[in-house]
Amino acid sequence: MRYLLGIDFGGGASKATLLCENGQVLAENTTEYPTYYPQSGYAEQNPEDWVRATCANIAGVLEKSGVMPEDIAAVALDAATHTAVITDDAFHVIRPAIYWTDTRSIAEVQFLKDNYADIIEKQVLHKPDTIWSLPELLWIKRNEPQNWARVQRILFAKDYVRHCLTGDYVTDFIEAEGSMLFDVNTMQWSRELCGILDIDPAMMPKIVKPTDIAGRITAEAARMTGLCEGTPIICGTTDTVMEVFASGAVSKGQMTVKLATAGRICVVTDKPYPDTNLINYSHVIDGLFYPGTATKSGAASYRWFRDTFGGDYQSLDKIAGDIPIGSQGLVFHPYLNGELTPYANPNLCADFTGVRAFHTKAHFARAVLEGVAMSLLDCREALDSLGIAHEDSAVMIGGGGKSPLWRQMLSDALGIRLVQMKHTDSSFGSAMLAGIAAGIFQSPKQAVSVCNMVVSETLPVEKNTEQYRKLFKRYKAIQRVMESIYNDEDFSMC
């Protein structure tokens, strides 16, 4: 029997999934690591935390499953896009990686808009924003010249970890699309965009397919991880496309609703849709794309509330479930790190409005859940405004979907059927991708048919949908007023 290992690096933890060739998940293991916030608007991660989490997760799944390391046919990694790691020529990390939720590069974004908007839109199909690697790296160049002078290599999160395991220096074309340094027309690093940073495209990693073997476990990595020396590691790709793949969204019109650290709604299409409100990436299936909307703080909002005010998710769900729809006038906007769709505004801040003396912790907990649901409804309306055809149901992905209360709330707010698959983790998708590379699965569709199944569905309640549409009008009206305040330089609240 052969086994497949997928490892994901998310906003607060790494997860490993060990998959059997018959599609059965044998073991999972999760290791948390911190995101650092040195000051307002900053968000950074330590790449060495990812490596330590990798070793812990591999040890965990091997111990839990009893699988022998020599029986693992292939390994694949995935991670959040845009997270660049700068190193010297010996691949020593120069500074912590700027995470994609970081908003410090506002001035650099404006500089790019003023001077390079046309070429960026032509080559990248997106507009500059703080989430992209280019403005993040430009910030380092401008503000930390002593660090920038040492830069010889630029990797991305999963590629750095894989380099530590194999010594390779490659990335996949989907990851490259998220850098704002890649020309999607030529499928090569852009000399013009790299020139903004005064770097040679030759400094960038070689671009390969997600299923290409990038390297093999070195002797040192074998000692670190417990895997066998020579085990093939495929390039892998980004976390969201792995979730889309894992969920079974492999045909045009299929849709996913993600409720993880960030929230996203993606639709599988046969072409990109260049628009301020969408992030366009290629699918792992040739000729398909998954343009998606995004809210920066999805389940991260609930985690923030839990960590700040105490409790656990189960108890918070219980008290929030006793509060009626609309939280009796209390409204939350989940803009903890600015917002993407449909505002693309890093100045926006989270807020509670409509607070009254009778409001309790239960009201605030429900308001957080509803605020994220309203933000995802904002995302849904952005997709619909562009005429992107999709089915009237979606697969629910991300840890937030495990909450029955939140899942029903989203189904009601969006007015669509939400399907739960047995597995939708990006690490599960990476394990399936490793199976394709190893020849165990012949195609993405075959991998999905072997490995996944529907376990439940949530249907919208019409009267609840009507109430949420009324709440959405209030949510939007308050947002418009608050945005003018957050954009006022003389009255910055963030």
Side-chain angles (χ1 to χ4, degrees):
M1 188 70 74
R2 293 175 295 173
Y3 303 92
L4 305 159
L5 182 59
I7 306 175
D8 164 65
F9 303 92
S14 171
K15 180 176 181 180
T17 296
L18 187 63
L19 182 67
C20 182
E21 64 182 350
N22 65 9
Q24 179 185 359
V25 172
L26 296 185
E28 299 174 324
N29 203 80
T30 299
T31 302
E32 293 190 352
Y33 45 73
T35 297
Y36 301 94
Y37 303 96
Q39 57 181 284
S40 178
Y42 286 32
E44 300 180 345
Q45 293 188 353
N46 180 358
E48 298 310 317
D49 289 341
W50 309 330
V51 178
R52 284 189 286 269
T54 301
C55 296
N57 280 338
I58 292 172
V61 295
L62 291 177
E63 181 181 357
K64 290 175 181 178
S65 66
V67 166
M68 301 302 294
E70 58 265 29
D71 292 326
I72 295 180
V75 181
L77 312 181
D78 69 81
T81 330
H82 316 298
T83 308
V85 181
I86 58 172
T87 77
D88 61 18
D89 199 40
F91 291 97
H92 296 138
V93 175
I94 294 171
R95 70 173 319 283
I98 297 178
Y99 199 60
W100 71 269
T101 57
D102 189 288
T103 60
R104 76 183 73 181
S105 58
I106 293 174
E108 286 67 36
V109 167
Q110 191 59 53
F111 170 80
L112 293 172
K113 288 180 177 178
D114 291 343
N115 296 278
Y116 298 98
D118 289 345
I119 189 171
I120 289 174
E121 290 182 39
K122 179 181 178 181
Q123 294 192 9
V124 184
L125 304 184
H126 293 99
K127 296 180 184 296
D129 191 276
T130 56
I131 67 171
W132 301 95
S133 304
L134 172 56
E136 294 167 354
L137 294 169
L138 185 58
W139 184 92
I140 298 173
K141 182 177 185 294
R142 286 177 158 188
N143 293 274
E144 298 178 357
Q146 72 284 4
N147 284 333
W148 190 254
R150 298 171 56 201
V151 176
Q152 294 296 317
R153 300 283 186 266
I154 298 175
L155 302 88
F156 302 93
K158 63 126 179 20
D159 303 316
Y160 174 75
V161 177
R162 199 189 54 251
H163 167 81
C164 293
L165 301 179
T166 71
D168 72 76
Y169 186 43
V170 305
T171 194
D172 67 291
F173 63 86
I174 303 175
E175 183 85 66
E177 290 172 353
S179 68
M180 200 161 270
L181 295 168
F182 181 75
D183 187 339
V184 299
N185 305 292
T186 64
M187 299 297 283
Q188 299 291 331
W189 296 116
S190 166
R191 185 164 296 279
E192 294 88 349
L193 298 178
C194 288
I196 299 172
L197 297 172
D198 294 324
I199 61 173
D200 190 317
M203 291 173 55
M204 304 298 293
K206 178 184 176 182
I207 297 169
V208 300
K209 294 180 180 179
T211 50
D212 285 350
I213 294 177
R216 296 178 182 273
I217 290 287
T218 64
E220 180 181 358
R223 289 191 295 271
M224 289 168 48
T225 63
L227 294 176
C228 289
E229 183 178 356
T231 301
I233 312 293
I234 72 168
C235 181
T237 187
T238 69
D239 58 351
T240 302
V241 72
M242 284 296 89
E243 289 170 329
V244 169
F245 171 41
S247 75
V250 291
S251 299
K252 181 181 177 181
Q254 290 183 301
M255 183 164 63
T256 60
V257 174
K258 177 180 179 178
L259 189 50
T261 298
R264 293 196 70 182
I265 300 181
C266 298
V267 179
V268 179
T269 64
D270 57 4
K271 65 178 181 179
Y273 284 81
D275 185 86
T276 301
N277 288 321
L278 296 185
I279 299 175
N280 288 273
Y281 288 115
S282 299
H283 201 289
V284 290
I285 299 177
D286 289 344
L288 293 183
F289 300 81
Y290 67 102
T293 53
T295 178
K296 275 191 172 182
S297 299
S301 293
Y302 207 24
R303 181 175 180 175
W304 163 80
F305 185 81
R306 179 202 66 178
D307 293 348
T308 304
F309 300 103
D312 58 74
Y313 292 132
Q314 186 174 5
S315 63
L316 290 173
D317 273 11
K318 187 176 186 302
I319 61 174
D322 294 332
I323 304 300
I325 291 174
S327 302
Q328 294 185 287
L330 186 64
V331 176
F332 175 72
H333 292 89
Y335 310 147
L336 292 169
N337 294 293
E339 187 55 302
L340 295 175
T341 308
Y343 310 108
N345 188 346
N347 294 322
L348 295 181
C349 299
D351 54 57
F352 288 100
T353 60
V355 182
R356 293 286 189 175
F358 61 81
H359 285 135
T360 65
K361 183 176 180 179
H363 289 87
F364 281 89
R366 185 177 185 101
V368 170
L369 300 178
E370 290 184 334
V372 174
M374 294 299 97
S375 186
L376 284 168
L377 180 54
D378 242 352
C379 290
R380 161 78 190 274
E381 293 209 336
L383 284 169
D384 291 344
S385 69
L386 295 171
I388 300 176
H390 57 77
E391 298 175 353
D392 59 1
S393 66
V395 176
M396 186 86 208
I397 59 180
K402 295 176 182 177
S403 162
L405 173 66
W406 215 355
R407 195 166 63 245
Q408 185 65 59
M409 191 181 293
L410 281 170
S411 178
D412 293 341
L414 299 174
I416 60 174
R417 179 175 69 109
L418 292 178
V419 175
Q420 275 196 301
M421 307 294 285
K422 189 173 183 180
H423 302 287
T424 57
D425 293 309
S426 49
S427 60
F428 174 74
S430 283
M432 289 198 298
L433 196 72
I436 296 171
I440 292 173
F441 307 126
Q442 300 307 306
S443 68
K445 290 185 178 181
Q446 197 236 346
V448 169
S449 68
V450 170
C451 299
N452 221 339
M453 65 179 69
V454 175
V455 293
S456 70
E457 64 176 27
T458 303
L459 299 175
V461 178
E462 186 176 354
K463 65 176 183 179
N464 292 349
T465 299
E466 293 173 358
Q467 291 186 67
Y468 280 119
R469 293 305 166 115
K470 293 178 181 178
L471 174 61
F472 187 58
K473 291 181 180 179
R474 180 182 177 89
Y475 174 94
K476 294 282 283 186
I478 296 170
Q479 187 280 329
R480 286 191 291 270
V481 173
M482 297 302 288
E483 183 169 24
S484 64
I485 297 173
Y486 299 138
N487 285 336
D488 188 338
E489 294 182 359
D490 294 328
F491 192 62
S492 175
M493 298 177 64
C494 299

